[in-house]
Amino acid sequence: MSEIVENSGKSGIEGKVVAITGASSGIGEATALLLAERGAKIVLGARRPERLEALAARIAKNGGTAVWARTDVTRRADLAGLVQLAREQYGRLDVLVGNAGVGLISPLDDLRVEDWEEMIDVNLKGVLYGIAAALPVFREQGFGHFVNTVSTAGLRVVPLQSVYAATKNAVRTLSEGLRQEAGDSLRVTVVSPGAVRTDFAERMEPTVKARIDELMEIALPPEAVARAIAFAIEQPDGVDVGDIVVRPTAQG
């Protein structure tokens, strides 16, 4: 408890305990590396343990601190375990970055119902399970910060992305409701990336994937989004950065 009291007023990034879902690649990986470089203690969660182990080793080699746990955000127990790992290792949790997501975009006429369900389970229910795991801990501590990765797809809805955009807009709405209920001791941020160079399109149908690959020619590196997340986290207590949009200047 003494450690929680000591750190409850800490601003900046150094010393903060940050759990990240979807941490094995892309935005999650870039965020973990940047925050660790700035002195945060990182708790990595994703479905690929070999990637997590390698990332934790890379962070340690660079002088940082990280632990990891295989985390499938569609399983509520996995999110509870990730939060518990943070508390066991570091005594508290300052930030939960809800970054895990899938974008199985396709025309609605294709009726890829299983893909729709997976996006709902990962993109929306995964965030809800994170809130269920971390909110009681944040209330007990008297501080905490949710950072949820959404998408510009929810700001400008286009064909093929209807269900994906719907899940991201659901998280945006959920986050705003959470912010209003959070009171003056918790913070809530949503970060909306545009096109980012990740493996986002790997599981898409080939013709759709080809269209996304064209967009990747103007895409941002994941580090650009990581810097936005770091900006929100480093603000002093009492400053809540609610919504950040990060997209290529060339993106419509």
Side-chain angles (χ1 to χ4, degrees):
M1 181 62 69
S2 60
E3 185 176 4
I4 290 178
V5 172
E6 178 185 345
N7 285 279
S8 61
K10 183 184 288 293
S11 61
I13 292 173
E14 185 175 0
K16 283 191 173 178
V17 179
V18 182
I20 303 170
T21 66
S24 62
S25 63
I27 293 169
E29 179 182 27
T31 300
L33 290 167
L34 178 62
L35 296 180
E37 180 183 321
R38 296 191 184 182
K41 301 172 183 177
I42 308 299
V43 184
L44 305 166
R47 289 184 290 188
R48 295 178 285 185
E50 69 285 352
R51 296 289 298 268
L52 295 177
E53 185 175 19
L55 179 56
R58 182 178 172 189
I59 289 171
K61 183 177 180 180
N62 293 336
T65 301
V67 294
W68 62 273
R70 185 187 185 281
T71 305
D72 180 346
V73 298
T74 68
R75 294 170 50 86
R76 183 178 176 184
D78 283 12
L79 270 303
L82 191 69
V83 170
Q84 184 59 30
L85 177 63
R87 301 187 81 189
E88 289 173 353
Q89 292 291 321
Y90 304 122
R92 67 185 193 281
L93 176 64
D94 294 288
V95 185
L96 176 61
V97 180
N99 173 71
V102 293
L104 306 175
I105 66 175
S106 62
L108 288 171
D109 282 316
D110 285 358
L111 299 180
R112 298 172 71 109
V113 177
E114 292 81 7
D115 289 353
W116 302 349
E117 291 174 338
E118 184 175 350
M119 285 188 283
I120 292 168
D121 288 345
V122 174
N123 298 353
L124 175 56
K125 291 174 68 175
V127 173
L128 283 166
Y129 290 160
I131 292 170
L135 185 57
V137 173
F138 288 169
R139 292 297 192 197
E140 178 186 338
Q141 295 174 165
F143 61 89
H145 190 177
F146 290 100
V147 180
N148 294 325
T149 303
V150 288
S151 173
T152 57
L155 300 174
R156 180 173 179 266
V157 180
V158 297
L160 308 184
Q161 299 187 21
S162 303
V163 179
Y164 175 70
T167 62
K168 292 301 187 177
N169 270 331
V171 173
R172 192 185 309 279
T173 300
L174 170 66
S175 299
E176 174 58 17
L178 176 61
R179 184 192 68 80
Q180 293 188 30
E181 293 184 24
D184 61 3
S185 61
L186 307 185
R187 301 193 290 181
V188 182
T189 300
V190 294
V191 178
S192 300
V196 180
R197 287 195 298 270
T198 68
D199 57 4
F200 176 79
E202 288 306 308
R203 293 177 55 200
M204 294 178 189
E205 187 269 335
T207 57
V208 175
K209 182 178 183 299
R211 295 174 63 174
I212 297 299
D213 286 343
E214 289 180 8
L215 184 60
M216 290 299 103
E217 294 179 7
I218 65 165
L220 298 170
E223 290 77 13
V225 185
R227 289 192 294 271
I229 293 172
F231 173 79
I233 293 173
E234 71 187 359
Q235 298 306 307
D237 290 347
V239 177
D240 188 1
V241 178
D243 200 342
I244 303 176
V245 178
V246 185
R247 59 186 159 208
T249 53
Q251 182 176 345

Short mmCIF file of all heavy atoms in Angstrom, two decimals, residues 103-153:
data_model
loop_
_atom_site.label_atom_id
_atom_site.label_comp_id
_atom_site.label_asym_id
_atom_site.label_seq_id
_atom_site.Cartn_x
_atom_site.Cartn_y
_atom_site.Cartn_z
N GLY A 103 -9.34 -6.66 -37.86
CA GLY A 103 -10.08 -5.94 -38.88
C GLY A 103 -10.39 -6.83 -40.05
O GLY A 103 -9.76 -6.71 -41.11
N LEU A 104 -11.34 -7.72 -39.89
CA LEU A 104 -11.68 -8.69 -40.93
C LEU A 104 -12.73 -8.08 -41.85
O LEU A 104 -13.89 -8.49 -41.88
CB LEU A 104 -12.17 -9.99 -40.29
CG LEU A 104 -11.21 -10.60 -39.26
CD1 LEU A 104 -11.84 -11.81 -38.58
CD2 LEU A 104 -9.89 -10.97 -39.91
N ILE A 105 -12.33 -7.07 -42.62
CA ILE A 105 -13.29 -6.32 -43.40
C ILE A 105 -13.68 -7.06 -44.67
O ILE A 105 -12.89 -7.81 -45.24
CB ILE A 105 -12.77 -4.91 -43.71
CG1 ILE A 105 -11.56 -4.94 -44.64
CG2 ILE A 105 -12.43 -4.17 -42.42
CD1 ILE A 105 -11.09 -3.58 -45.08
N SER A 106 -14.93 -6.84 -45.08
CA SER A 106 -15.49 -7.52 -46.25
C SER A 106 -16.84 -6.89 -46.56
O SER A 106 -17.44 -6.22 -45.71
CB SER A 106 -15.67 -9.02 -45.97
OG SER A 106 -16.59 -9.21 -44.91
N PRO A 107 -17.36 -7.09 -47.78
CA PRO A 107 -18.72 -6.62 -48.08
C PRO A 107 -19.74 -7.34 -47.20
O PRO A 107 -19.62 -8.54 -46.94
CB PRO A 107 -18.92 -6.99 -49.55
CG PRO A 107 -17.55 -7.24 -50.09
CD PRO A 107 -16.73 -7.73 -48.94
N LEU A 108 -20.75 -6.63 -46.78
CA LEU A 108 -21.79 -7.26 -45.98
C LEU A 108 -22.46 -8.40 -46.75
O LEU A 108 -22.88 -9.41 -46.16
CB LEU A 108 -22.83 -6.23 -45.54
CG LEU A 108 -22.37 -5.24 -44.46
CD1 LEU A 108 -23.41 -4.16 -44.28
CD2 LEU A 108 -22.10 -5.95 -43.14
N ASP A 109 -22.55 -8.26 -48.07
CA ASP A 109 -23.18 -9.31 -48.89
C ASP A 109 -22.45 -10.64 -48.79
O ASP A 109 -23.05 -11.69 -49.09
CB ASP A 109 -23.23 -8.87 -50.36
CG ASP A 109 -24.34 -7.88 -50.63
OD1 ASP A 109 -25.46 -8.10 -50.14
OD2 ASP A 109 -24.10 -6.88 -51.33
N ASP A 110 -21.19 -10.63 -48.40
CA ASP A 110 -20.45 -11.89 -48.25
C ASP A 110 -20.92 -12.71 -47.06
O ASP A 110 -20.61 -13.90 -46.95
CB ASP A 110 -18.95 -11.61 -48.11
CG ASP A 110 -18.30 -11.24 -49.41
OD1 ASP A 110 -19.00 -11.22 -50.45
OD2 ASP A 110 -17.08 -10.95 -49.40
N LEU A 111 -21.64 -12.06 -46.15
CA LEU A 111 -22.21 -12.74 -44.98
C LEU A 111 -21.15 -13.53 -44.20
O LEU A 111 -21.37 -14.68 -43.81
CB LEU A 111 -23.36 -13.68 -45.39
CG LEU A 111 -24.57 -13.00 -46.08
CD1 LEU A 111 -25.61 -14.04 -46.44
CD2 LEU A 111 -25.16 -11.90 -45.21
N ARG A 112 -20.02 -12.89 -43.95
CA ARG A 112 -18.95 -13.54 -43.18
C ARG A 112 -19.25 -13.37 -41.69
O ARG A 112 -18.58 -12.63 -40.96
CB ARG A 112 -17.61 -12.96 -43.57
CG ARG A 112 -17.27 -13.20 -45.06
CD ARG A 112 -16.03 -12.45 -45.49
NE ARG A 112 -14.82 -13.02 -44.93
CZ ARG A 112 -13.90 -13.68 -45.64
NH1 ARG A 112 -14.10 -13.90 -46.93
NH2 ARG A 112 -12.82 -14.14 -45.07
N VAL A 113 -20.30 -14.04 -41.26
CA VAL A 113 -20.84 -13.85 -39.91
C VAL A 113 -19.81 -14.22 -38.85
O VAL A 113 -19.71 -13.57 -37.80
CB VAL A 113 -22.14 -14.66 -39.73
CG1 VAL A 113 -22.66 -14.52 -38.29
CG2 VAL A 113 -23.20 -14.18 -40.72
N GLU A 114 -19.03 -15.27 -39.10
CA GLU A 114 -18.00 -15.65 -38.12
C GLU A 114 -16.98 -14.52 -37.94
O GLU A 114 -16.52 -14.28 -36.83
CB GLU A 114 -17.31 -16.94 -38.55
CG GLU A 114 -18.18 -18.18 -38.51
CD GLU A 114 -19.09 -18.30 -39.73
OE1 GLU A 114 -18.94 -17.48 -40.67
OE2 GLU A 114 -19.94 -19.21 -39.73
N ASP A 115 -16.64 -13.85 -39.04
CA ASP A 115 -15.73 -12.71 -38.94
C ASP A 115 -16.36 -11.57 -38.15
O ASP A 115 -15.70 -10.91 -37.34
CB ASP A 115 -15.33 -12.20 -40.33
CG ASP A 115 -14.40 -13.15 -41.06
OD1 ASP A 115 -13.96 -14.15 -40.44
OD2 ASP A 115 -14.13 -12.91 -42.24
N TRP A 116 -17.64 -11.32 -38.38
CA TRP A 116 -18.34 -10.29 -37.62
C TRP A 116 -18.27 -10.59 -36.12
O TRP A 116 -17.99 -9.72 -35.31
CB TRP A 116 -19.81 -10.20 -38.03
CG TRP A 116 -20.06 -9.92 -39.47
CD1 TRP A 116 -19.15 -9.54 -40.43
CD2 TRP A 116 -21.32 -10.02 -40.15
NE1 TRP A 116 -19.77 -9.40 -41.65
CE2 TRP A 116 -21.10 -9.68 -41.51
CE3 TRP A 116 -22.61 -10.35 -39.73
CZ2 TRP A 116 -22.14 -9.67 -42.45
CZ3 TRP A 116 -23.64 -10.34 -40.67
CH2 TRP A 116 -23.40 -10.00 -42.01
N GLU A 117 -18.54 -11.85 -35.80
CA GLU A 117 -18.55 -12.24 -34.38
C GLU A 117 -17.16 -12.10 -33.77
O GLU A 117 -17.02 -11.68 -32.61
CB GLU A 117 -19.07 -13.67 -34.24
CG GLU A 117 -20.55 -13.79 -34.58
CD GLU A 117 -21.04 -15.23 -34.58
OE1 GLU A 117 -20.20 -16.14 -34.76
OE2 GLU A 117 -22.26 -15.43 -34.44
N GLU A 118 -16.13 -12.46 -34.54
CA GLU A 118 -14.77 -12.32 -34.01
C GLU A 118 -14.42 -10.87 -33.75
O GLU A 118 -13.80 -10.55 -32.72
CB GLU A 118 -13.76 -12.95 -34.97
CG GLU A 118 -12.32 -12.93 -34.42
CD GLU A 118 -11.33 -13.65 -35.30
OE1 GLU A 118 -11.75 -14.34 -36.25
OE2 GLU A 118 -10.11 -13.53 -35.03
N MET A 119 -14.82 -9.98 -34.64
CA MET A 119 -14.53 -8.56 -34.40
C MET A 119 -15.28 -8.04 -33.18
O MET A 119 -14.72 -7.25 -32.39
CB MET A 119 -14.89 -7.74 -35.65
CG MET A 119 -13.88 -7.89 -36.77
SD MET A 119 -14.15 -6.76 -38.17
CE MET A 119 -15.52 -7.59 -38.99
N ILE A 120 -16.51 -8.47 -33.00
CA ILE A 120 -17.24 -8.07 -31.80
C ILE A 120 -16.56 -8.61 -30.55
O ILE A 120 -16.39 -7.91 -29.55
CB ILE A 120 -18.71 -8.55 -31.88
CG1 ILE A 120 -19.45 -7.79 -32.98
CG2 ILE A 120 -19.41 -8.39 -30.54
CD1 ILE A 120 -20.80 -8.38 -33.34
N ASP A 121 -16.14 -9.88 -30.60
CA ASP A 121 -15.53 -10.51 -29.43
C ASP A 121 -14.19 -9.85 -29.07
O ASP A 121 -13.91 -9.62 -27.89
CB ASP A 121 -15.31 -12.00 -29.69
CG ASP A 121 -16.61 -12.79 -29.68
OD1 ASP A 121 -17.62 -12.26 -29.19
OD2 ASP A 121 -16.61 -13.94 -30.16
N VAL A 122 -13.36 -9.58 -30.07
CA VAL A 122 -12.03 -9.01 -29.80
C VAL A 122 -12.10 -7.51 -29.58
O VAL A 122 -11.63 -6.99 -28.57
CB VAL A 122 -11.07 -9.35 -30.96
CG1 VAL A 122 -9.73 -8.64 -30.75
CG2 VAL A 122 -10.86 -10.85 -31.07
N ASN A 123 -12.70 -6.80 -30.54
CA ASN A 123 -12.63 -5.34 -30.52
C ASN A 123 -13.48 -4.71 -29.44
O ASN A 123 -13.11 -3.67 -28.88
CB ASN A 123 -13.06 -4.78 -31.88
CG ASN A 123 -12.15 -5.23 -33.01
OD1 ASN A 123 -11.12 -5.85 -32.80
ND2 ASN A 123 -12.55 -4.94 -34.23
N LEU A 124 -14.65 -5.28 -29.17
CA LEU A 124 -15.55 -4.69 -28.18
C LEU A 124 -15.54 -5.45 -26.86
O LEU A 124 -15.22 -4.88 -25.82
CB LEU A 124 -16.98 -4.64 -28.74
CG LEU A 124 -18.06 -4.15 -27.76
CD1 LEU A 124 -17.72 -2.78 -27.20
CD2 LEU A 124 -19.43 -4.15 -28.42
N LYS A 125 -15.82 -6.75 -26.91
CA LYS A 125 -15.88 -7.50 -25.65
C LYS A 125 -14.50 -7.55 -24.99
O LYS A 125 -14.40 -7.55 -23.76
CB LYS A 125 -16.44 -8.89 -25.88
CG LYS A 125 -17.91 -8.88 -26.24
CD LYS A 125 -18.44 -10.26 -26.62
CE LYS A 125 -18.47 -11.21 -25.47
NZ LYS A 125 -19.09 -12.51 -25.86
N GLY A 126 -13.44 -7.57 -25.80
CA GLY A 126 -12.10 -7.55 -25.22
C GLY A 126 -11.84 -6.30 -24.40
O GLY A 126 -11.20 -6.35 -23.34
N VAL A 127 -12.33 -5.15 -24.87
CA VAL A 127 -12.19 -3.91 -24.10
C VAL A 127 -13.05 -3.97 -22.84
O VAL A 127 -12.61 -3.55 -21.75
CB VAL A 127 -12.57 -2.70 -24.97
CG1 VAL A 127 -12.61 -1.42 -24.14
CG2 VAL A 127 -11.57 -2.54 -26.12
N LEU A 128 -14.27 -4.48 -22.97
CA LEU A 128 -15.14 -4.61 -21.79
C LEU A 128 -14.50 -5.50 -20.73
O LEU A 128 -14.55 -5.19 -19.53
CB LEU A 128 -16.49 -5.18 -22.21
CG LEU A 128 -17.45 -4.21 -22.91
CD1 LEU A 128 -18.58 -4.97 -23.57
CD2 LEU A 128 -17.99 -3.20 -21.91
N TYR A 129 -13.89 -6.61 -21.15
CA TYR A 129 -13.25 -7.50 -20.18
C TYR A 129 -12.06 -6.80 -19.51
O TYR A 129 -11.78 -7.02 -18.33
CB TYR A 129 -12.78 -8.78 -20.87
CG TYR A 129 -13.90 -9.71 -21.31
CD1 TYR A 129 -13.68 -10.67 -22.29
CD2 TYR A 129 -15.17 -9.62 -20.76
CE1 TYR A 129 -14.69 -11.53 -22.69
CE2 TYR A 129 -16.18 -10.46 -21.16
CZ TYR A 129 -15.95 -11.42 -22.14
OH TYR A 129 -16.95 -12.26 -22.54
N GLY A 130 -11.36 -5.96 -20.27
CA GLY A 130 -10.27 -5.19 -19.67
C GLY A 130 -10.79 -4.22 -18.62
O GLY A 130 -10.19 -4.07 -17.54
N ILE A 131 -11.88 -3.56 -18.92
CA ILE A 131 -12.49 -2.65 -17.94
C ILE A 131 -12.93 -3.42 -16.70
O ILE A 131 -12.69 -2.98 -15.56
CB ILE A 131 -13.68 -1.91 -18.58
CG1 ILE A 131 -13.18 -0.94 -19.65
CG2 ILE A 131 -14.48 -1.16 -17.53
CD1 ILE A 131 -14.28 -0.33 -20.50
N ALA A 132 -13.54 -4.58 -16.92
CA ALA A 132 -13.99 -5.38 -15.78
C ALA A 132 -12.83 -5.80 -14.89
O ALA A 132 -12.97 -5.89 -13.66
CB ALA A 132 -14.74 -6.62 -16.28
N ALA A 133 -11.67 -6.04 -15.50
CA ALA A 133 -10.51 -6.46 -14.73
C ALA A 133 -9.84 -5.29 -14.01
O ALA A 133 -9.41 -5.42 -12.85
CB ALA A 133 -9.50 -7.15 -15.65
N ALA A 134 -9.73 -4.15 -14.69
CA ALA A 134 -8.92 -3.05 -14.15
C ALA A 134 -9.70 -2.04 -13.33
O ALA A 134 -9.14 -1.42 -12.42
CB ALA A 134 -8.21 -2.33 -15.30
N LEU A 135 -10.98 -1.85 -13.63
CA LEU A 135 -11.73 -0.79 -12.95
C LEU A 135 -11.78 -0.97 -11.43
O LEU A 135 -11.54 0.00 -10.69
CB LEU A 135 -13.14 -0.69 -13.53
CG LEU A 135 -14.01 0.46 -13.00
CD1 LEU A 135 -13.35 1.81 -13.19
CD2 LEU A 135 -15.39 0.43 -13.68
N PRO A 136 -12.06 -2.17 -10.91
CA PRO A 136 -12.04 -2.32 -9.44
C PRO A 136 -10.67 -2.02 -8.84
O PRO A 136 -10.58 -1.48 -7.74
CB PRO A 136 -12.43 -3.79 -9.23
CG PRO A 136 -13.14 -4.19 -10.48
CD PRO A 136 -12.47 -3.43 -11.58
N VAL A 137 -9.60 -2.36 -9.56
CA VAL A 137 -8.25 -2.08 -9.08
C VAL A 137 -8.01 -0.58 -9.06
O VAL A 137 -7.47 -0.03 -8.09
CB VAL A 137 -7.21 -2.79 -9.97
CG1 VAL A 137 -5.79 -2.37 -9.60
CG2 VAL A 137 -7.37 -4.30 -9.87
N PHE A 138 -8.39 0.09 -10.12
CA PHE A 138 -8.22 1.55 -10.17
C PHE A 138 -9.03 2.22 -9.06
O PHE A 138 -8.56 3.19 -8.44
CB PHE A 138 -8.67 2.08 -11.53
CG PHE A 138 -7.75 1.76 -12.67
CD1 PHE A 138 -8.14 1.97 -13.99
CD2 PHE A 138 -6.48 1.22 -12.46
CE1 PHE A 138 -7.30 1.69 -15.05
CE2 PHE A 138 -5.63 0.92 -13.52
CZ PHE A 138 -6.04 1.17 -14.82
N ARG A 139 -10.24 1.75 -8.81
CA ARG A 139 -11.06 2.34 -7.73
C ARG A 139 -10.38 2.13 -6.38
O ARG A 139 -10.34 3.04 -5.54
CB ARG A 139 -12.45 1.68 -7.73
CG ARG A 139 -13.32 2.00 -8.93
CD ARG A 139 -13.64 3.47 -9.03
NE ARG A 139 -14.71 3.70 -10.02
CZ ARG A 139 -14.99 4.88 -10.56
NH1 ARG A 139 -14.25 5.93 -10.24
NH2 ARG A 139 -15.96 5.01 -11.43
N GLU A 140 -9.86 0.95 -6.17
CA GLU A 140 -9.18 0.66 -4.89
C GLU A 140 -7.95 1.54 -4.71
O GLU A 140 -7.70 2.06 -3.63
CB GLU A 140 -8.79 -0.81 -4.85
CG GLU A 140 -8.04 -1.23 -3.59
CD GLU A 140 -7.56 -2.66 -3.65
OE1 GLU A 140 -8.12 -3.46 -4.43
OE2 GLU A 140 -6.60 -2.99 -2.92
N GLN A 141 -7.19 1.71 -5.79
CA GLN A 141 -5.98 2.53 -5.72
C GLN A 141 -6.29 4.01 -5.58
O GLN A 141 -5.52 4.79 -5.01
CB GLN A 141 -5.16 2.35 -7.00
CG GLN A 141 -4.59 0.96 -7.21
CD GLN A 141 -3.92 0.80 -8.57
OE1 GLN A 141 -3.19 -0.17 -8.77
NE2 GLN A 141 -4.14 1.71 -9.50
N GLY A 142 -7.38 4.43 -6.21
CA GLY A 142 -7.71 5.86 -6.27
C GLY A 142 -7.10 6.55 -7.47
O GLY A 142 -7.14 7.78 -7.58
N PHE A 143 -6.58 5.81 -8.44
CA PHE A 143 -6.02 6.35 -9.67
C PHE A 143 -5.93 5.25 -10.71
O PHE A 143 -5.89 4.07 -10.38
CB PHE A 143 -4.64 6.99 -9.45
CG PHE A 143 -3.60 6.02 -8.96
CD1 PHE A 143 -2.82 5.27 -9.83
CD2 PHE A 143 -3.40 5.84 -7.59
CE1 PHE A 143 -1.86 4.37 -9.36
CE2 PHE A 143 -2.45 4.94 -7.10
CZ PHE A 143 -1.67 4.21 -8.00
N GLY A 144 -5.87 5.66 -11.97
CA GLY A 144 -5.74 4.72 -13.07
C GLY A 144 -6.13 5.38 -14.38
O GLY A 144 -6.77 6.43 -14.40
N HIS A 145 -5.72 4.76 -15.48
CA HIS A 145 -5.90 5.37 -16.80
C HIS A 145 -6.20 4.27 -17.81
O HIS A 145 -5.41 3.32 -17.97
CB HIS A 145 -4.61 6.12 -17.18
CG HIS A 145 -4.72 6.98 -18.39
ND1 HIS A 145 -3.67 7.77 -18.83
CD2 HIS A 145 -5.72 7.19 -19.29
CE1 HIS A 145 -4.04 8.43 -19.92
NE2 HIS A 145 -5.27 8.08 -20.22
N PHE A 146 -7.34 4.38 -18.50
CA PHE A 146 -7.66 3.50 -19.61
C PHE A 146 -7.30 4.22 -20.91
O PHE A 146 -7.71 5.36 -21.13
CB PHE A 146 -9.16 3.19 -19.65
CG PHE A 146 -9.64 2.30 -18.54
CD1 PHE A 146 -10.28 2.83 -17.43
CD2 PHE A 146 -9.47 0.92 -18.61
CE1 PHE A 146 -10.74 2.02 -16.41
CE2 PHE A 146 -9.93 0.09 -17.60
CZ PHE A 146 -10.56 0.64 -16.49
N VAL A 147 -6.54 3.54 -21.78
CA VAL A 147 -6.26 4.06 -23.11
C VAL A 147 -6.74 3.01 -24.10
O VAL A 147 -6.21 1.89 -24.13
CB VAL A 147 -4.76 4.34 -23.32
CG1 VAL A 147 -4.52 4.87 -24.74
CG2 VAL A 147 -4.24 5.33 -22.28
N ASN A 148 -7.73 3.35 -24.91
CA ASN A 148 -8.31 2.39 -25.86
C ASN A 148 -8.00 2.81 -27.29
O ASN A 148 -8.24 3.95 -27.68
CB ASN A 148 -9.83 2.30 -25.66
CG ASN A 148 -10.20 1.70 -24.32
OD1 ASN A 148 -9.50 0.82 -23.81
ND2 ASN A 148 -11.28 2.17 -23.72
N THR A 149 -7.48 1.87 -28.07
CA THR A 149 -7.19 2.11 -29.47
C THR A 149 -8.46 1.86 -30.28
O THR A 149 -8.99 0.75 -30.27
CB THR A 149 -6.07 1.19 -29.97
OG1 THR A 149 -4.91 1.38 -29.18
CG2 THR A 149 -5.72 1.50 -31.42
N VAL A 150 -8.93 2.88 -30.96
CA VAL A 150 -10.10 2.72 -31.83
C VAL A 150 -9.65 2.88 -33.28
O VAL A 150 -8.70 2.24 -33.69
CB VAL A 150 -11.27 3.65 -31.41
CG1 VAL A 150 -11.89 3.14 -30.13
CG2 VAL A 150 -10.84 5.08 -31.24
N SER A 151 -10.26 3.75 -34.07
CA SER A 151 -9.86 3.85 -35.48
C SER A 151 -10.55 5.02 -36.14
O SER A 151 -11.68 5.38 -35.77
CB SER A 151 -10.22 2.56 -36.23
OG SER A 151 -9.98 2.69 -37.62
N THR A 152 -9.90 5.61 -37.15
CA THR A 152 -10.59 6.61 -37.96
C THR A 152 -11.69 5.98 -38.80
O THR A 152 -12.54 6.69 -39.34
CB THR A 152 -9.60 7.34 -38.90
OG1 THR A 152 -8.93 6.38 -39.73
CG2 THR A 152 -8.59 8.14 -38.12
N ALA A 153 -11.72 4.64 -38.89
CA ALA A 153 -12.82 3.97 -39.59
C ALA A 153 -14.15 4.28 -38.92
O ALA A 153 -15.20 4.23 -39.58
CB ALA A 153 -12.60 2.46 -39.62
#
